Each structure stands twice: as C-alpha cells, then as structure tokens.
C-alpha cells in the first residue's frame, strides 16, 4: 500500500445475478453490511442493465461507488448493442473496468482498450485496466506480454491523469479457478508494474496508479495477499456476490485492521 492512497476494493459482478430483484437486494445488503467505512474505497460493478436500480440504492452512499464492466468509446451513434460513457455518467458511474480477460477473449484488443481508456479519462472517470498472463513460463517470457498490455493500454495518457488510472493484475489462470499466485509472486509483479510505469512516467507520477490484484480472492486469502502482495486492493469476481465474504474482504484491507 502506498502512503496517502486508500485501499480500493472493486466487486465485478460479471453477468450476475439473474434478476433485478436479486441485484437490488444484493446492493442493499452490501450497503448495510459495509456501513459507513471511510478508509476503503469500494466499488460495485453490476451488469449495465441494473445500473439505474443499483444507483437508486447507492445514490446517497459516500462509501460505495458505482462501476461498469466495459463501455464504448464513442458518445453515441450506430453502434448496435453498445452503451456509452455519457449514458452511464447520468447514474453517477465513476469507475470503468477495461480489458478484462473475459472481454479480451471475445476479441477486444489493446487498441480498442486504449480508445476506451482514453475516453474514460477524458470524461473524468477512473479506468481500471486489467492485465495478466494466460500462463507462466519458466523463462519469464510472460512478463513481456504484461509490459505490452500496460504500454499499449496507456498510449497517449499524460502523467497528470494517472491518479485516475488503476491497474488490476489478474492472471487469467487464477480467475474463477480457486488458484492464486503466492503473495511473493504478487509482490514481484507489483514491483514490475511499478518499474514499467516509472520508465514511462516520472516515478512520483507513476506512484499515483493504484495496483490491484484479482483472481480467486476470498475472505481467507485476502489479508495475506494484501499485505504480502503489497497491492492497493483487489478486483473481486465471484466472492463479490456473497455479502459476508465481500464485507470480510473489505475489512481485511482496512488500515486499522
Ligand atoms: P474471481 O474473478 O474473483 O471470480 O476469480 C476475478 C475477476 O475476473 O475480476
């Protein structure tokens, strides 16, 4: 954790839950469970079709912000099936997850991700850029893939915007698998990411970027991965759908823990 920056926990609901009734009660229960914590930044990112309803529940919350799981970079036009930044802005969405491996698997490439990221920052929102290797090789070749994802994702981003950039390191093999890297591996990756950012920008600007870990985070491994991994928080998938588990993960990163 860096000094002066609050830990960040993002709940990525993915394509869950099944109905708006369940989604609103989940949001209500999370809101009640976390109470008025002011030392962790918390974001929930429901499917976009639920944004209006979840916004109605969270709109007076100073504790939980809203995010979406992807976006289109254009404001409006002939883009069938897409949703734009101004459309979600109306619902106080402040965070946009970009380049998640499940979207990359559908064909989203680094250029598209960079367009979305640039548009997100231009709108004054925070971009959560997901990066991560599909598998690790003994020789460490996967590191050059990670570096490419970071550099390509941040093309054209000026250093003054970096406080609105979050990098989520999510090894694809750890997502939804119950497997995680060791805390030491995560720590090394954090240093590697910081080094790339420092090469791209001045070090004191590079340090404004929050680095999260994501992939099978739960209430049992959160504290160890947070402290040992020296990350600034987590991007949580499956566990963010369970109120108590999500709450416990949040509690495990509190500075007062
Ligand atoms: P998981 O997903 O926590 O279910 O592994 C993380 C993610 O994909 O963001």
């Amino acid at each position: 954790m860096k000094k002066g920056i609050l830990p960040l926990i993002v709940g990525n609901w993915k394509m869950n839950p099944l109905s708006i009734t369940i989604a609103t009660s989940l949001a209500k229960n999370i809101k009640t469970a976390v109470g008025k914590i002011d030392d962790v930044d918390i974001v929930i990112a429901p499917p976009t079709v639920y944004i209006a309803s979840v916004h109605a529940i969270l709109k007076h919350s100073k504790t939980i912000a809203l995010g979406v799981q992807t976006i289109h970079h254009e404001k409006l036009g002939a883009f069938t099936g897409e949703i734009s930044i101004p459309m979600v802005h109306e619902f106080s969405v402040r965070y946009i997850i970009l380049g998640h491996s499940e979207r990359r698997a559908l064909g989203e490439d680094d250029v598209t991700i960079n367009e979305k990221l640039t548009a997100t920052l231009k709108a004054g929102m925070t971009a959560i850029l997901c990066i991560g290797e599909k598998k690790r090789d003994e020789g460490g070749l996967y590191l050059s893939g990670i570096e490419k994802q970071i550099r390509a994702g941040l093309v054209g981003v000026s250093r003054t915007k970096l406080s609105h950039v979050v990098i989520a390191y999510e090894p694809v093999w750890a997502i939804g698998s119950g497997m995680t890297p060791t805390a030491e591996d995560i720590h090394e990756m954090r240093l590697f990411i910081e080094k790339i950012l420092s090469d791209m920008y001045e070090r004191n600007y590079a340090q404004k970027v929050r680095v999260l870990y994501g992939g099978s985070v739960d209430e049992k491994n959160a504290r160890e991965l947070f402290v040992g991994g020296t990350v600034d928080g987590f991007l949580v998938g499956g566990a963010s759908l369970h109120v108590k588990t999500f709450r416990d993960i949040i509690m495990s990163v509190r500075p007062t823990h």
Side-chain angles (χ1 to χ4, degrees), residues 99-115:
H100 191 283
S101 61
E102 286 153 16
R103 296 211 53 88
R104 291 183 192 258
L106 294 171
E108 207 163 281
D109 62 14
D110 284 330
V111 173
T112 314
I113 293 163
N114 176 250
E115 282 171 342

Side-chain angles (χ1 to χ4, degrees), residues 12 14 100-102 170 174-177 214-217 235-239:
N12 173 13
K14 307 194 180 186
H100 191 283
S101 61
E102 286 153 16
E170 299 207 303
I175 295 176
S177 65
S216 297
V217 175
L235 179 52
V236 186

Side-chain angles (χ1 to χ4, degrees), residues 181-227:
T182 63
E184 181 60 26
D185 289 341
I186 296 173
H187 171 64
E188 275 169 18
M189 185 57 77
R190 201 243 145 83
L191 296 178
F192 180 69
I193 293 167
E194 236 170 50
K195 182 182 175 309
I196 295 162
L197 292 171
S198 298
D199 287 350
M200 294 172 71
Y201 303 96
E202 272 172 43
R203 196 174 154 71
N204 53 329
Y205 284 96
Q207 287 192 331
K208 296 197 184 304
V209 176
R210 284 194 273 195
V211 178
L212 310 183
Y213 167 74
S216 297
V217 175
D218 61 26
E219 77 286 14
K220 292 187 226 61
N221 59 25
R223 183 73 191 159
E224 188 196 338
L225 298 183
F226 180 68
V227 176

